């Protein structure tokens, strides 16, 4: 129950609560219509405007280019194969970016794998978020098969992954588990080692 | 005369931002002339391609766009993905504007964040309140890494912004401990609970990946006062599995400033000495991690009350033959601790369980003063009592994803306690038979009758859902049911929708309800004084009475009810090129049952006061009383413009630019009925001219800010241009006085001596801009050349220019 007053009457006379709310809400139908239209016309996937993701995508290939090994990249591959294990944050970004790129002199092929069982032969395995166990299994598989692993979450290198890429205050940080790399027969280029945090302690 | 809501100032802001947008787009196009940018199709691939050929060292120096956690439980999101508007202020920005405490840094960086520098306002001098969107200080929820930060126990009961409210003291957080500040510009009580009406400030402490740091700051105002010294060290220890243990210790001391127009008073910043600690640690183990975050701050302040001349009735010439200037020198302690765990279960459920304690202790100490009623034997230092606020929060949330949908369920238990402890007797006594002034001059003590220990418990259940229906369309839904020991259960909800018509264009809207529980200080605060005239046989009293006090109840006070709110936002974000985003958001906030303190209920102040009320006062020997009540409804309409831009020049230089503008207008849209026993209307009871102007015009009508940083090699230049819009206040005669907008410019030059050491020299308010004065008046206190030459509501303070040096060492 509200009592009218001189002050209120003055403002209410100028602009009552109903009309104002209605004015704002009047924009809703247009927005809803546009929304429905958008859902209907939405393409299968839209690019994201995420610079962090863009940089991650770039780093994957750039980091791989500083790695060498007697059996790496796999010589029987016609292409340089980068496989992203689900959950895959990149969508079509990697495919788009590496369409015209070459790593170690080979065209780049991007694969997306739902599980290790569907991984197949690859040169690089990109591991995003997911459970510790899933990462552990991926790292173990990669170590057994001489695959370069690149993880996108903190703790990945300490867990036994070879390269870790994450962001601190909007800047990329690279961590390299050099011991694991050497054990896998992978040699990391000095320029990369000089700018990365290098772990000397072995993982699992 | 009716004012247009889109006036010239808004157009001016747009005109100032447009060239920046134009330059940004032009330079981006020039940088990639062979690949013209489609302003609506976006350029993700082009940007990524641009990165690909750069040296690794350069890639590591590239800065990505800021991301925020607040507003969504689905992890960090950038401006272009946010369904509701969020600002992110980086540590670099915070440290570049010459301020040594967090609220002052935000007040010069964030339009819509208003923090005047009140003086001679008792305890408020030592912990000034701040506001968002021109609303009340207690209508802002502050979080530390997502966990609720406690309010202060101080109730601002003088003529300042936020009169009648308790606020969070952001100055308890060392600026160097902050990684970023996320400001959610929308109501979010359905997600976070009480208080999130004007918005949420989420302070993220420095965590993973920090280096050891030491820093120092030295500065003073143009006239030589306000000497400020600050030094601190951050130790960052790496724990296994990329865990961290960061410990920061800081001391900062600021001398008082004085801009009083006369020679005997002090009007300016309070003297303050702070010692702060910050601990932030996280220990991951597989998919789970334990975390511990803590802040501690101890502040000793000192600020003056009004000068008591030698012949003043409040003086005892035998003690102060030349008169005296009483000083309130409180000791303020704050502690915040949150400990918890979080992780990911094998079934994909994300969990977070935490316990948080926050407490504030405000110890009122008065010195260089006396109790006139005690005569020549009066002490000159007093303990005027203590207020405390303690908050305990247990929070548990569990989230599960299904395809493109994330649902989070949670529970929160919260207990608040508020205490007032009486001061020493000499601090509040009126000596028997004396007709002199009672208590400690400057700040008489809390009496045993004022002492209180109050408690409230509340429990909440909440659900939060984020659903991406398609790459173009998504929505967030939230609901929260909160039950309290003090009032009936409240159910609030929120719907936020985002739609992307084109790759570089986002439309967003949200509708939500919210509430703010009455603070325990509002419900339980009482502060009473006494006097005795020479002809009086008995002592008379006056003051603020708690709503459950028999006198307040007899005068119509009733239990305070929560303020309730309705929020609506509609906006758009445009990201035409990489490194550039611009947004426009309109907002409306309607608040019902806002809690205010009544005017002074006395026969002298309210001429229409009923005989019954006059009799109640007389029967209790009370000259006059105030209490808190749910009084009015308000409606706030506003508009936010934002621009963020970064550009890298071919010569290696880098430019960052953040432009922002906010305009808002608050109007009183309804007034509740006054208690019948008083016989007066609520307008007469609550809304004197000053209160009405404070609510509707006491804060700047609009704000504009343009922060820019250009760096190349070892050098970095920062310029922060700020415009504080016009506001109005009332003088002692209750006459409206309007104050014009003011521009300020902060500037800093930083030089990296080597990769570890950076030195900087700068000026805050380089042009020494000051607010317009009250002008020539006949008043004895307010006016040019008087004790208070400037309005207490001036948003930029009144110190003028401040010059400083700072050094940062990473090791």
């Amino acid at each position: 129950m509200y009592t009218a007053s001189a002050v209120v009457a003055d403002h209410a006379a100028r602009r009552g609560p109903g009309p104002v709310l209605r004015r704002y809400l009047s924009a809703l139908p247009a927005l809803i219509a546009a929304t429905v239209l958008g859902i209907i016309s939405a393409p299968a996937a839209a690019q994201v405007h995420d610079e962090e993701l863009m940089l991650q995508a770039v780093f994957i290939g750039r980091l791989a280019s500083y790695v060498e090994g007697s059996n790496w990249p796999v010589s029987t591959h016609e292409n340089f194969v980068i496989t992203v294990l689900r959950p895959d944050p990149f969508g079509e970004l990697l495919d788009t970016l590496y369409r015209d790129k070459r790593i170690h002199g080979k065209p780049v092929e991007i694969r997306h794998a739902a599980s290790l069982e569907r991984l197949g032969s690859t040169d690089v395995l990109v591991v995003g978020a997911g459970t510790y166990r899933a990462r552990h299994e991926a790292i173990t598989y990669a170590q057994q098969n001489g695959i370069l692993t690149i993880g996108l979450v903190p703790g990945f290198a300490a867990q036994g992954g070879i390269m870790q890429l994450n962001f601190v205050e909007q800047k990329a940080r690279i961590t390299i588990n050099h011991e694991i790399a050497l054990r896998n027969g992978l040699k990391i280029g000095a320029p990369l080692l000089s700018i990365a945090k290098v772990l000397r302690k072995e993982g699992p | 005369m009716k004012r247009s809501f889109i006036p010239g100032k808004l157009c001016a802001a747009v005109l100032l931002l447009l060239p920046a947008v134009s330059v940004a787009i032009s330079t981006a196009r020039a940088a990639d002339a062979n690949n013209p940018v489609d302003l609506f199709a976006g350029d993700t691939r082009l940007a990524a391609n641009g990165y690909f050929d750069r040296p690794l060292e350069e890639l590591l120096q590239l800065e990505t766009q800021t991301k925020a956690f607040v507003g969504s439980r689905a992890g960090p999101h950038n401006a272009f993905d946010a369904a509701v508007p969020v600002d992110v202020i980086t540590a670099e920005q915070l440290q570049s504007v010459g301020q040594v405490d967090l609220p002052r840094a935000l007040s010069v960086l964030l339009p819509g964040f208003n923090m005047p520098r009140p003086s001679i306002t008792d305890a408020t001098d030592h912990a000034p309140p701040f506001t968002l969107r021109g609303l009340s200080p207690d209508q802002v929820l502050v979080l530390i890494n997502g966990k609720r930060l406690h309010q202060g126990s101080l109730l601002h009961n003088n003529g300042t912004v936020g009169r009648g409210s308790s606020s969070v003291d952001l100055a308890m957080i060392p600026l160097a401990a902050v990684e970023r500040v996320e400001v959610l510009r929308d109501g979010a009580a359905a997600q976070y609970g009480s208080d999130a009406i004007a918005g949420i400030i989420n302070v993220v402490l420095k965590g993973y990946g920090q280096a050891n740091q030491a820093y120092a700051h030295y500065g003073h105002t143009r006239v030589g006062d306000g000497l400020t010294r600050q030094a601190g060290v951050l130790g960052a220890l790496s724990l296994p599995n990329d865990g961290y243990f960061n410990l920061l210790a800081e001391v900062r001391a600021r001398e008082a400033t004085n801009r009083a127009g006369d020679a005997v008073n002090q009007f300016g910043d309070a003297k303050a000495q702070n010692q702060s600690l910050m601990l932030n640690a996280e220990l991951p183990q597989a998919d789970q991690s334990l975390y511990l975050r803590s802040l501690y701050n101890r502040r000793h302040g000192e600020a003056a009350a009004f000068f008591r001349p030698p012949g003043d009735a409040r003086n005892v010439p035998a003690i102060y033959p030349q008169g005296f200037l009483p000083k309130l020198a409180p000791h303020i302690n704050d502690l915040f601790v949150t400990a918890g765990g979080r992780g990911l279960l094998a079934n994909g459920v994300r969990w977070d369980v935490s316990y948080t304690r926050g407490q504030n202790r405000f110890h009122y100490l008065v010195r260089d003063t006396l109790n006139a009623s005690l005569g020549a034997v009066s002490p000159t230092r007093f303990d005027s009592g203590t207020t405390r606020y303690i908050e305990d929060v247990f929070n548990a949330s569990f989230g599960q994803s299904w395809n493109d949908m994330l649902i989070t369920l949670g529970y929160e238990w919260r207990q608040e306690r508020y205490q007032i402890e009486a001061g020493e007797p000499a601090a509040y006594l009126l000596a028997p038979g004396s007709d002199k002034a009672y208590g400690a001059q400057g700040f008489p003590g809390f009496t045993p009758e004022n002492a209180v220990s109050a408690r409230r418990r509340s429990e909440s259940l909440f659900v939060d859902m984020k659903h991406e229906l398609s790459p173009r369309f998504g929505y967030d839904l939230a609901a929260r049911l909160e039950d309290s020991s003090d009032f009936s259960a409240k159910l609030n909800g929120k719907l936020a929708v985002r739609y992307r018509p084109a790759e570089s264009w986002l439309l967003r809207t949200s509708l939500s309800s919210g509430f703010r529980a009455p603070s325990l200080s509002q419900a339980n605060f009482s502060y009473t004084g006494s006097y005795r005239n020479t002809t009086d046989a008995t002592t008379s009293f006056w003051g603020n009475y708690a709503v459950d006090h028999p006198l307040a109840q007899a005068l119509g006070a009733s239990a305070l009810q929560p303020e309730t709110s309705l929020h609506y936002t509609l906006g758009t974000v445009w990201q035409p090129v990489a490194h550039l985003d611009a947004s426009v958001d309109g907002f409306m906030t309607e608040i019902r049952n806002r809690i205010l303190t009544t005017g002074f209920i006395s026969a002298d102040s309210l001429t229409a006061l009923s005989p019954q009320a006059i009799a109640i006062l007389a029967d209790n020997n009370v000259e006059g009383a105030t209490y808190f009540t749910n009084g009015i409804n308000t409606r706030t309409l506003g508009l936010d413009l934002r621009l963020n831009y970064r550009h890298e020049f071919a010569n290696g230089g880098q430019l960052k630019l953040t432009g922002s503008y906010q305009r808002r207008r608050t109007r009183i849209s309804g007034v509740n009925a006054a208690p019948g026993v008083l016989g007066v209307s609520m307008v007469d009871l609550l809304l004197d001219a000053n209160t009405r102007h404070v609510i509707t015009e006491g804060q700047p009508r609009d704000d504009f800010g343009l922060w820019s940083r250009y760096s190349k090699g070892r050098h970095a230049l920062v310029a922060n241009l700020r415009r504080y819009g016009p506001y109005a206040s009332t003088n002692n005669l209750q006459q409206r006085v309007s104050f014009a907008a003011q521009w300020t410019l902060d500037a800093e030059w930083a030089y990296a001596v080597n990769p570890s050491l950076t030195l900087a020299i700068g000026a805050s308010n380089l042009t020494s801009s000051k607010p317009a004065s009250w002008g020539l008046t006949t008043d004895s206190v307010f006016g040019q050349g008087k004790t208070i030459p400037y309005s207490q509501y001036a948003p930029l303070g009144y110190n003028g220019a401040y010059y400083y040096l700072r050094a940062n060492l990473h090791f």
Side-chain angles (χ1 to χ4, degrees), chain A residues 35 51 62 96 101 132, chain B residues 45 49 54 473 579 646:
Chain A
T35 298
E51 290 177 292
R62 295 297 308 281
T96 311
K101 301 290 186 298
Y132 180 88
Chain B
R45 192 180 67 82
N49 267 326
R54 294 196 186 189
F473 177 75
H579 315 308
R646 281 170 290 120

Side-chain angles (χ1 to χ4, degrees), chain B residues 560-613:
Chain B
L560 295 176
Q561 296 302 309
E563 297 175 344
T564 57
S565 59
L566 180 69
H567 311 261
Y568 184 70
T569 67
L570 179 65
T572 183
V573 187
W574 184 45
Q575 192 172 13
V577 293
H579 315 308
L580 171 65
D581 63 75
S583 64
V584 180
D585 291 278
F587 63 89
M588 181 188 72
T589 301
E590 287 197 336
I591 309 174
R592 296 171 74 91
N593 288 323
R594 283 184 70 164
I595 296 170
L596 301 176
T597 182
T598 66
F600 198 56
I601 303 171
S602 73
D604 290 340
S605 301
L606 295 170
T607 52
L609 191 65
S610 71
Q612 187 184 353

Side-chain angles (χ1 to χ4, degrees), chain A residues 8-86:
Chain A
V8 179
D10 175 41
H11 297 299
R14 280 197 265 165
R15 194 165 296 171
V20 171
L21 186 58
R22 278 198 294 276
R23 186 181 308 169
Y24 271 76
L25 292 175
S26 64
L28 267 181
L31 187 65
I32 291 168
T35 298
V36 172
L37 190 66
I39 295 170
I40 295 169
S41 62
Q47 294 282 16
V48 288
H49 284 249
D50 188 329
E51 290 177 292
E52 198 173 295
L53 210 56
M54 284 186 222
L55 264 182
Q56 283 178 337
V58 168
F59 265 113
I60 288 169
R62 295 297 308 281
L63 293 178
S65 67
Y66 282 89
V67 179
E68 291 179 356
S70 53
N71 298 314
W72 191 94
V74 181
S75 56
T76 53
H77 286 169
E78 206 170 284
N79 300 326
F80 185 84
V81 182
I82 298 174
T83 304
V84 185
L85 194 62
R86 280 189 187 170

